[in-house]
Amino acid sequence: MTSIKIVCLSFFCIILLSLAASLAQAMHQRDSTEQGGWWSARRDSAGLAPDARKNSRLAIVQVYAAPTWGWKGVVAVHPWIIFKRAGETDYNRYEVISWGAGEKVRRNRNTPDGYWYGAKPRLLVEHRGPAAQAMIPQIEAAIASYPWPDSYRAWPGPNSNTFIAHIGREVPALKLDMPANAVGKDFRSLLNPVGLPPSGRGVQVSVLGVAGVTLGAEEGVEVNLLGLNVGLDFTPLRLRLPFIGGLGRDNLQKNNPPGSGDEIS
């Protein structure tokens, strides 16, 4: 009984510390002038995506995530995916957006690497060249097969993180590693509680994204309770924490070593 109390107390302390760290980070990163209203918040390019015209001969796939607007940015992120084939000079951006009637899956509603209502995005994963070219048809098929195109629930899902996680499951070559504060990434139908994690490699048991366990190639070991995820990632080694996402090296996966011959802008 004592050991159970220690585990519960430790989990509670981790939650509180993660929340405090996320609040401090949000206060540091957000400019007060950008909080005047969503209509005036910054949404221009963050300068992270390679110039599509200069890299027209190169296929590119990228996944981004940024803190959500307002108070929700303290506890969760909004992700999206962009891609272009070799020969194309413009990106396609796909994401799930809650507001507005009809289908929630939106295409090219925002700048490919734009600030998300004042929050600078972070690059989660990137692929270039033949590998990216080969996975784009799979990504498009995954977008078309998303099970909840007309539904949105901030918690526990389905939401924008559920959408990107679905793509990761359908396209294991993407090697997607979603942060622990991507609330909704673990949402699964009650009829399908066991399956692949968002990385597409491993196993996940999840009851509507409210409680579960994930063992994944990119995620490592992660426990989910009420949508709060705690775990240990081994690639690279870091803690996976709710609210703040994690502690350790950045989540960017570099697939092309310097000097690989790919154009970079």
Side-chain angles (χ1 to χ4, degrees), residues 148 187-194 206-210:
W148 304 283
F187 180 85
R188 306 183 69 93
S189 166
L190 279 175
L191 301 177
N192 185 31
V194 181
S206 180
V207 180
L208 293 176
V210 176

Side-chain angles (χ1 to χ4, degrees), residues 139-153:
I139 292 171
E140 291 177 321
I143 293 170
S145 68
Y146 179 57
W148 304 283
D150 301 315
S151 300
Y152 186 96
R153 286 193 300 269

Side-chain angles (χ1 to χ4, degrees), residues 1 23 44 48 72 78 100 116 119 121 137-138 165 182 192 210 221 230 242:
M1 185 63 69
L23 284 168
D44 61 309
L48 299 176
K72 290 190 294 184
H78 172 81
W116 183 249
Q138 302 172 40
N192 185 31
V210 176
V221 181
V230 176

Side-chain angles (χ1 to χ4, degrees), residues 115-166:
Y115 281 77
W116 183 249
Y117 295 94
K120 185 176 182 179
R122 182 163 66 95
L123 182 62
L124 297 185
V125 65
E126 176 185 66
H127 296 271
R128 304 186 184 203
Q133 184 82 359
M135 71 177 68
I136 288 175
Q138 302 172 40
I139 292 171
E140 291 177 321
I143 293 170
S145 68
Y146 179 57
W148 304 283
D150 301 315
S151 300
Y152 186 96
R153 286 193 300 269
W155 182 92
N159 57 29
S160 59
N161 289 299
T162 312
F163 173 66
I164 297 300
H166 170 76

